[in-house]
Amino acid sequence: SIHWTVCSVWYLQTSERRDNVTEGESVTFECSYSTTESYFYLFWYRHYKEKQPEFIISRYSHSDNPDKGKGFENRFSAELQKSNSFTSLSISELVLSDSAVYYCAFTLTTVIDCTASLVQKLTSLCT
């Protein structure tokens, strides 16, 4: 059977769900978030023990097109329901190598913008 753990990460609050299914089946993981911001990203990652997390897929609050990581183009999909503050990750035709820890992560676009401007300022200070 296939084993996994789903961790939903939101400001240091985590929830965990463990499931067992068999190869060939499909599964959907759910993740809720809370924000008053209009522009944000939601990410899904897969993590094998003693390896770095792998980016699976992301959804942007103002786009219908998901961004998928390399190797995750076919069996993986993500849904974003802004009205319900909810995102989900679906995996079809499960294989044994899908046994892993799956993370849902949230980020505001303002964080990305702030980091970019900070890097730019630091670069100019160093030259």
Side-chain angles (χ1 to χ4, degrees):
S1 68
I2 298 170
H3 307 271
W4 62 74
T5 302
V6 180
C7 299
S8 304
V9 182
W10 170 239
Y11 288 139
L12 303 180
Q13 298 177 19
T14 60
S15 61
E16 190 174 287
R17 168 186 149 195
R18 295 175 184 268
D19 289 296
N20 294 331
V21 296
T22 55
E23 292 180 75
E25 293 183 348
S26 297
V27 68
T28 298
F29 304 132
E30 299 177 351
C31 177
S32 297
Y33 61 91
S34 176
T35 185
T36 56
E37 299 293 331
S38 299
Y39 297 87
F40 56 87
Y41 287 90
L42 286 152
F43 301 88
W44 285 95
Y45 292 89
R46 179 172 71 185
H47 187 212
Y48 292 123
K49 191 175 182 180
E50 298 180 7
K51 291 190 176 180
Q52 290 193 348
E54 302 171 277
F55 166 68
I56 301 172
I57 195 169
S58 69
R59 293 297 308 259
Y60 177 52
S61 56
H62 285 70
S63 173
D64 292 329
N65 300 319
D67 182 25
K68 294 186 179 184
K70 187 176 181 181
F72 296 101
E73 296 88 357
N74 297 324
R75 300 183 300 114
F76 296 80
S77 60
E79 183 182 357
L80 174 59
Q81 295 180 11
K82 287 188 291 184
S83 58
N84 299 324
S85 299
F86 166 88
T87 184
S88 63
L89 172 71
S90 296
I91 311 172
S92 62
E93 300 171 20
L94 288 165
V95 294
L96 201 56
S97 61
D98 291 325
S99 299
V101 177
Y102 290 84
Y103 289 95
C104 166
F106 176 99
T107 185
L108 301 175
T109 55
T110 50
V111 174
I112 296 170
D113 294 341
C114 178
T115 306
S117 62
L118 178 62
V119 170
Q120 194 172 25
K121 286 177 184 175
L122 287 174
T123 305
S124 62
L125 285 172
C126 295
T127 54

